[in-house]
Amino acid sequence: MKTLILIIYLTIAPMTLITAQHHVIVNDINEAYDYYQSSHEGAETALHYISECFDCTTIDCIKENMQIAKSEAEAAMKNAHYAKDETHEAKSQAYNHCTVAGSETHDAHGSFHDAKKVFDMASNTLGVAHFSDDVSEIHSHLNNAIDHIHIAISHLNNGVDGLNNALGELEVCKN
């Protein structure tokens, strides 16, 4: 009788562990996705305030909107960093559970890291522009910041593709 109970336990315990590990990975991916969304929203808001700069008629108006855009780009950068961290957690767990899902989360991790770096470049570009009093120079910096933010958004989107692919692979491995 004890042997039968042990066999049943040894059969059920690994399934429970796999289900729990799967749940932890999915939760980490979902948290990364939430940070992605916040980062993407911050990027879009930064672009909005940068566009407002081009409608301004005074340097003060431009600098006020630039400062808001810079703050939004920095918030987007932080959220991309948090998405990267959550993806790292998922990656660590996923490699033990499902190798292909681990690879997909690794790709997402790299994309979020790249987005973070490019958001930092956008923020720095807006910071440099803030010290200028030449409208043409400021507009040049603003255009560079726009390019950086679009590139960062592209990296964010690649990160989400990796997360979605990882979720799909986790389902394949689960079944």
Side-chain angles (χ1 to χ4, degrees):
M1 182 68 168
K2 288 182 182 178
T3 306
L4 180 59
I5 293 172
L6 181 61
I7 291 171
I8 292 171
Y9 175 77
L10 291 175
T11 305
I12 294 172
M15 287 190 292
T16 304
L17 179 61
I18 289 170
T19 302
Q21 189 176 26
H22 176 86
H23 180 71
V24 168
I25 297 165
V26 170
N27 279 348
D28 288 339
I29 288 173
N30 286 335
E31 287 181 33
Y33 185 78
D34 289 344
Y35 286 120
Y36 150 80
Q37 283 184 305
S38 296
S39 183
H40 197 281
E41 288 168 10
E44 293 296 332
T45 304
L47 289 171
H48 167 77
Y49 281 101
I50 290 171
S51 72
E52 292 290 318
C53 292
F54 290 101
D55 295 334
C56 289
T57 55
T58 66
I59 292 287
D60 288 339
C61 175
I62 293 172
K63 289 187 177 189
E64 181 180 323
N65 283 297
M66 262 192 320
Q67 187 57 45
I68 296 169
K70 184 178 186 300
S71 295
E72 290 295 329
E74 288 170 350
M77 177 183 68
K78 287 177 188 171
N79 283 309
H81 176 80
Y82 298 145
K84 176 186 73 95
D85 287 350
E86 288 301 328
T87 305
H88 179 76
E89 294 298 320
K91 176 181 74 166
S92 298
Q93 294 286 327
Y95 272 123
N96 296 329
H97 181 64
C98 179
T99 306
V100 178
S103 178
E104 294 292 346
T105 54
H106 177 78
D107 293 346
H109 178 266
S111 293
F112 290 134
H113 177 75
D114 291 345
K116 176 187 169 281
K117 290 189 326 188
V118 179
F119 278 129
D120 187 39
M121 293 167 62
S123 175
N124 289 336
T125 299
L126 291 168
V128 169
H130 192 75
F131 292 105
S132 178
D133 287 328
D134 178 3
V135 173
S136 294
E137 183 181 347
I138 291 172
H139 283 180
S140 176
H141 288 298
L142 292 173
N143 284 321
N144 288 338
I146 289 169
D147 291 344
H148 292 314
I149 292 171
H150 283 296
I151 292 167
I153 289 171
S154 176
H155 287 302
L156 287 175
N157 291 337
N158 289 340
V160 155
D161 289 345
L163 294 179
N164 288 333
N165 292 339
L167 285 173
E169 290 300 329
L170 284 170
E171 286 305 309
V172 168
C173 290
K174 182 179 166 186
N175 296 327

